[in-house]
Amino acid sequence: MTIASPDLSQLRSTVEGAVVGPGEDGWDAARQAWNLTTDQRPSAVALPESAADVAAVVRFAGANGLRVATQGTGHGANALTALDGVVLLKTERMRGVSVDPAARRARVEAGVLGGELGPAAAEHGLTSLGGSSPDVGVVGFAIGGGIGWLSRRHGLTCNSITEAEVVTADGEQVRANSDENTDLYWALRGGGGDFGVVTALELELFPIETVYAGSLMFPAALGVELVPAYLDWVRTVPDELTTGVRFLYLPPIPEVPEPLRGVPIVDVTGAFIGDAAEGAALLEPLRSLGDPIIDGWAEIPAPGLSRINGDPEQPSPGVTHHTVVGDLTDGAAEAFIGVAGPDSGTPLLAVATRHLGGALASAPPGAGALGQVEGEHVINGVGLAMQPDVVPVLNAALDRTVEAFEPWSTGVHYLNFADRPSDGSKGFDAQAWSRLLDVKKSVDPNGLFLAAHPVV
């Protein structure tokens, strides 16, 4: 069912930002998510310039029987349901960043990207708990959990949130922290965006200036040795080291470095918080397995962590799927190689693990809704969908990939990696989910907000 576009003239008169309706100039650009496979068709798109604009949009939606879906970059937009009767509120114009070096805190507005916060913090010898791409929004990444290259030592990014500035369902601007709106503060730390519109976050920063990090790339054929060696090796490494192993099939296009164009790869990517010589010694068991095509591990400035994975930095068409698994023993390496290795025939761009454990395995004192991740690895597959007709093929391959790891599955979802509509309850233990439901009923009793993974 298609719901008629509302009369937007009243909203336009109350906000500084743009408001775009179906068929108007700029409509296709306004409704486009970062993921180019997503065809978003809301009733309107609002691009606020400020928290006051956000509040006006929320009040307008409530008064006109509409819902509100908030989007920073739109990386996880495939998980959203149909947007009929929804105002898509895109925060990309809200880009303010400030750093308090004495308090080791950063305040970021809702549209700030990881690639913007990193350099701002680095000017003061500090770093945030960022992710794998400079083009991902800080707010969405953080409130959805946040697993990055420093996580085994410092935990989930959501638990580095010290305050959230939020527009609630009644259009009020509030603060949520350890003293004010404490239930909302708890829910926003890992529970996602179904409780209000986060217009800014304050986050803890860490005194890390450089890390030993990069990617060690071998011909994919070496995966027969590397994958089982890696799975044994990660059981021995310190929490200061966070890594992943993946099979990577880059297309033969100019954007890909010459040695990697069309060449199947197996690589180990990650970061070590500590001395470069110590990090190199930790990697030696893997380096000794063969001659790498590229050995990119080196001491780098901390903001460079957002680029070591080589994730695309511009909107791209892709489909993904994931599963969280326990210790990968008893045939797991063979299953991984069989479904993703060079003889698998996979059409996917990449199949990767991300090592968990360490600080991710236990909730810190005063943690939010997501205190820990129950598992030893996240498995994530990615398909590049340059043409719409390949999407079913890629999704079938993603299903096969997840099914191959079913014997080791924990049954847990990590919602920041869940790029399909899914049961949000699988991201939390029963007690946390019950509390999230209670918070949702309290702060948004009429279901005004629509998130990618709704709390229902």
Side-chain angles (χ1 to χ4, degrees):
M1 179 179 69
T2 300
I3 298 174
S5 180
D7 180 0
L8 302 176
S9 59
Q10 179 185 0
L11 180 58
R12 289 191 175 107
S13 70
T14 60
V15 299
E16 294 182 358
V19 179
V20 187
E24 296 178 349
D25 289 346
W27 171 245
D28 285 338
R31 68 186 181 89
Q32 181 60 64
W34 191 95
N35 189 332
L36 298 180
T37 66
T38 309
D39 184 20
Q40 302 189 120
R41 296 189 177 275
S43 293
V45 178
L47 296 103
E49 301 277 354
S50 65
D53 275 4
V54 170
V57 172
V58 170
R59 289 193 293 268
F60 173 84
N64 288 274
L66 302 167
R67 303 182 73 189
V68 175
T70 305
Q71 201 165 84
T73 60
H75 275 75
N78 277 347
L80 273 173
T81 56
L83 296 178
D84 285 353
V86 174
V87 178
L88 182 61
L89 196 158
K90 300 184 75 171
T91 61
E92 60 196 50
R93 298 184 177 185
M94 300 173 64
R95 303 295 270 269
V97 181
S98 61
V99 175
D100 181 342
R104 296 203 319 221
R105 298 285 188 271
R107 179 185 179 275
V108 295
E109 291 188 341
V112 172
L113 303 179
E116 296 167 338
L117 173 57
E123 291 180 9
H124 306 281
L126 301 169
T127 191
S128 63
L129 301 182
S132 300
S133 169
D135 211 38
V136 167
V138 174
V139 167
F141 175 78
I143 66 174
I147 294 175
W149 297 116
L150 306 178
S151 292
R152 280 176 34 81
R153 176 64 181 84
H154 292 294
L156 290 156
T157 304
C158 63
N159 291 308
S160 73
I161 297 171
T162 53
E163 183 171 87
E165 298 171 31
V166 188
V167 172
T168 58
D170 56 5
E172 295 297 316
Q173 298 178 51
V174 304
R175 295 180 182 273
N177 52 45
S178 58
D179 297 317
E180 303 175 78
N181 298 296
T182 54
D183 283 342
L184 179 59
Y185 176 55
W186 174 85
L188 289 171
R189 288 179 293 149
D194 212 25
F195 307 95
V197 181
V198 176
T199 58
L201 287 179
E202 182 186 81
L203 303 108
E204 182 182 2
L205 301 176
F206 298 82
I208 300 171
E209 296 188 57
T210 63
V211 287
Y212 182 69
S215 188
L216 183 62
M217 297 184 170
F218 295 99
L222 191 70
V224 174
E225 297 176 54
L226 179 64
V227 170
Y230 172 84
L231 295 178
D232 288 338
W233 174 75
V234 291
R235 300 187 189 101
T236 70
V237 300
D239 293 352
E240 288 75 15
L241 181 61
T242 301
T243 59
V245 64
R246 65 181 169 177
F247 285 102
L248 185 61
Y249 301 94
L250 296 170
I253 57 177
E255 291 80 3
V256 175
E258 177 65 38
L260 307 178
R261 290 178 194 167
V263 177
I265 299 295
V266 63
D267 75 354
V268 175
T269 298
F272 174 66
I273 307 168
D275 180 74
E278 185 181 353
L282 287 168
L283 275 180
E284 183 55 32
L286 303 182
R287 275 199 173 104
S288 66
L289 293 176
D291 295 325
I293 299 173
I294 293 176
D295 186 343
W297 280 76
E299 186 173 79
I300 64 171
L305 284 173
S306 66
R307 289 187 164 91
I308 62 173
N309 211 48
D311 288 359
E313 297 183 25
Q314 298 296 327
S316 302
V319 289
T320 74
H321 199 18
H322 86 290
T323 185
V324 180
V325 298
D327 193 16
L328 291 176
T329 58
D330 302 328
E334 291 80 1
F336 189 11
I337 295 163
V339 77
D343 296 325
S344 66
T346 182
L348 300 178
L349 176 70
V351 178
T353 72
R354 182 68 62 87
H355 186 209
L356 304 176
L360 293 168
S362 58
L370 188 64
Q372 64 196 73
V373 181
E374 298 288 348
E376 292 294 323
H377 303 267
V378 178
I379 309 295
N380 189 46
V382 179
L384 187 62
M386 298 307 294
Q387 301 295 332
D389 59 357
V390 305
V391 171
V393 175
L394 296 174
N395 277 327
L398 291 167
D399 289 341
R400 290 193 297 272
T401 299
V402 168
E403 289 165 5
F405 288 94
E406 183 60 31
W408 303 276
S409 174
T410 64
V412 171
H413 288 178
Y414 171 59
L415 297 182
N416 267 1
F417 279 5
D419 202 26
R420 300 176 174 185
S422 61
D423 180 354
S425 69
K426 292 187 177 181
F428 307 90
D429 63 39
Q431 182 177 1
W433 183 248
S434 177
R435 185 176 175 187
L436 285 169
L437 290 170
D438 288 343
V439 175
K440 175 68 173 178
K441 291 175 185 175
S442 173
V443 301
D444 185 19
N446 298 316
L448 177 75
F449 297 114
L450 174 66
H453 305 289
V455 179
V456 293

